[in-house]
Amino acid sequence: MERDSSDEDDDRETLIHQNDAKNLPHQIPTSPRRSTSSRSGFHIEELESQIRRRFKLTFHKRYLFAIILPLLIIPFYFSVDIRSLFSSNISSLKFNTVSDRIKESQLQALYLLNQQQSSLLSLWNHTFVNSNNNISAVQFDDLKASLLNQITLNKHIQQILLSPHKTANSPQNDTLLDPNYAGYSFDRCRKVDQKFSERRTIEWNPKPNKFLFAICLSGQMSNHLICLEKHMFFAAVLNRALVIPSSKFDYQYNRVLDIEHINDCVGKIAVIPFEDFMEAKKNHAHIDKLICYFSSPQPCYVDDEHFKKLKSLGLSMGKLETAWKNEDIKQASQKTVKDVEEKFGTDADVIAIGDVYFANVERDWVLQPGGPIAHKCKTLIEPSKLILLTAERFIQTFLGSNFIALHFRRHGFLKFCNAKQPSCFYPVPQAADCITRMVERANTPVIYLSTDAAESETGLLQSMIVLNGKSIPLVKRPPRNSAEKWDALLYRHGLEDDPQVEAMLDKTICALSSVFIGAPGSTFTEDILRLRKDWGTASLCDEYLCQGEIPNFIAGDE
């Protein structure tokens, strides 16, 4: 033991000496010296001996403690729920710092918002699921949309408050916060149920060699198509085949309509092109009776120039007559099928009736979805197959299934609208605000723009249609590009650069949109609405631009 102690002392002295030397690098090392005082040396040695004994005892105690401690922990671990012990202590801790109080307030707010959402969902279940309130479908959907918006807003608030407290191990429970979960969503701009099975129809059974020659002269192509549809109803009532006018007297209908489609839908030869009619009459046809529906402001809209065109086509005719002496287009009176039969019923082989665009005959019957005539198709007057396919290809290329179509008429519309009470011509900023609200309501990412407006107006309109900081693009049909194939069918069949074909293509794209915004007072818009109604694409959100609003600025009269 003494040897060990001596070695230990020497080592210890050497270690201390070396450490001191290291700590004093600039000092010259000195050799160790012993104290010359024996009493001082005795006390030092005695103190060192005590320290060594205590050190050894402590050293042995540490080893003993290290051995015994695991033996105590193991049975304690298996007999006590450590997690509950510590979690209960931790959860009971209270923090008095400002940040902790903020966190506590946030968690309390989160709890209250969660309660609010539960109450809103409960209100939804009990109030709206089986509601029998006497309100319109649009008002009912507005109420539901408002409630869902509040639920959605609540969800966003919860997520914001919860985000500082989320960790990598936090459970994700987003579906419980999602109002679209468990059937709480609905299509606010869903399609209108047209109830085609409840249509009131009339059979079209033309008698042999009995023809009705259509005269449509007022307005542009859209007016003529509406006029032609009414002529078809007159022909069905009078049991006659309808003769489509020549392109030398009217529009070239065979470029935009499929005549054979009408006959296939009806199931018989009910519509005849002018060329086939003249061939059957050996190019010398006589109109036995030319009857004008309106007498004012001008009978049939037919003047001397029109008579010359008819005669140049090989047609002769008798004296012009009017059905009613005081029938004015500005105040068209309501007429019935019986009135038509009495005024236009005759045994003559060929009769002509003009112009019936403004005629008010069985309005509800004529304007019902699918029209008044019995047939197996969605509608009788619709775009040709080539135009329909081209429209579908354009939609697939540029728009997709979810888009708004906007008919934004401007050219010549300012004076037309300001003559009405109230005016229907809206400043661009007001129009942009109305369109933006519809985009939000319909939840659509893009707008198809059918317009005759100048670039200065459409550019301003585009810059102002912004929702949640994002610009909503306005898409127009681009100029011809050989690299694009969506319009190849029109060029292949020689239908390119035809204004009427392009107008019908615009109508078709608009008619296939999710939501349509029309121009009030425009027959172009009315024909689109007719197609949407007949095709079953009409939406609960369809409306005229800024419907129900008055322009916030109206110019004075000339």
Side-chain angles (χ1 to χ4, degrees), residues 199-220:
R199 287 175 60 221
R200 176 191 175 192
T201 60
I202 181 174
E203 294 291 335
W204 192 355
N205 296 311
K207 295 178 182 178
N209 298 318
K210 300 295 182 181
F211 302 96
L212 170 60
F213 190 89
I215 296 180
C216 297
L217 300 174
S218 61
Q220 303 298 319

Side-chain angles (χ1 to χ4, degrees), residues 233 293 324 334-341 360-362:
F233 180 57
Y293 189 95
W324 294 279
Q334 296 182 4
K335 305 296 182 185
T336 64
V337 167
K338 185 178 180 181
D339 294 327
V340 173
E341 291 174 335
N360 184 7
V361 179
E362 302 284 2

Side-chain angles (χ1 to χ4, degrees), residues 2-19:
E2 291 179 0
R3 184 177 180 179
D4 293 340
S5 299
S6 176
D7 293 339
E8 203 172 30
D9 291 342
D10 293 340
D11 293 340
R12 199 161 165 271
E13 283 185 5
T14 303
L15 180 61
I16 293 173
H17 173 72
Q18 290 174 350
N19 287 341

Side-chain angles (χ1 to χ4, degrees), residues 350-362:
V350 182
I351 66 171
I353 302 177
D355 179 320
V356 297
Y357 167 72
F358 293 100
N360 184 7
V361 179
E362 302 284 2

